[in-house]
Amino acid sequence: MERYSQSGRRKTSVARVYVSKGSGKVLVNGRDYATYFPTHILQYKIDQPFTVTGEDRNQYDIKVNVFGGGINGQAEATRLAISKILVELNAEYKPSLRQNGLVTRDPRMVERKKFGRKKARRRFQFSKR
């Protein structure tokens, strides 16, 4: 098996994931994924594509470069990229991943601030007198 690569995005986070045959090491920005994503919920999000498809994560070495956004957005961007790689490996995984919403890019992002406003839509307080 050669090296597969995909990118995943969520909000302002971008994750580039590289998967190759190996012993099950997952490195995120040079650190173990359990230390980079400290909570069990975030670690579950990384493992979710493998549990849905029934694929054994210990067969693959995963290297992740992720930047931007918060830690939750980074975990979800990584999850999307891993799901895309699994579909690339075996197209039969796509229906089960789609059913769990793992191959759909979540397009929701923060709306930009407009000029003459306090925030994106919030106006300055109006004073009649």
Side-chain angles (χ1 to χ4, degrees), residues 35-127:
T35 58
Y36 193 85
F37 297 116
T39 65
H40 293 294
I41 295 169
L42 296 174
Q43 293 170 18
Y44 170 75
K45 286 183 181 183
I46 303 300
D47 293 332
Q48 196 175 5
F50 294 104
T51 57
V52 167
T53 58
E55 190 75 36
D56 186 20
R57 183 175 62 83
N58 296 325
Q59 294 179 19
Y60 305 108
D61 280 342
I62 302 171
K63 183 175 177 266
V64 181
N65 292 329
V66 65
F67 61 92
I71 195 162
N72 188 61
Q74 288 183 352
E76 292 188 14
T78 305
R79 177 178 69 181
L80 175 63
I82 291 171
S83 299
K84 286 162 73 172
I85 288 175
L86 286 176
V87 168
E88 201 174 311
L89 287 171
N90 189 351
E92 294 174 7
Y93 292 151
K94 191 165 186 173
S96 60
L97 289 170
R98 165 106 32 225
Q99 190 175 14
N100 288 286
L102 300 183
V103 289
T104 305
R105 194 239 194 256
D106 193 349
R108 295 177 295 173
M109 297 177 83
V110 176
E111 191 175 340
R112 80 174 204 66
K113 183 197 173 299
K114 280 45 164 226
F115 61 89
R117 302 263 173 107
K118 242 181 154 69
K119 296 183 352 185
R121 298 185 181 198
R122 173 83 172 107
R123 291 174 169 83
F124 290 105
Q125 185 172 355
F126 175 72
S127 174

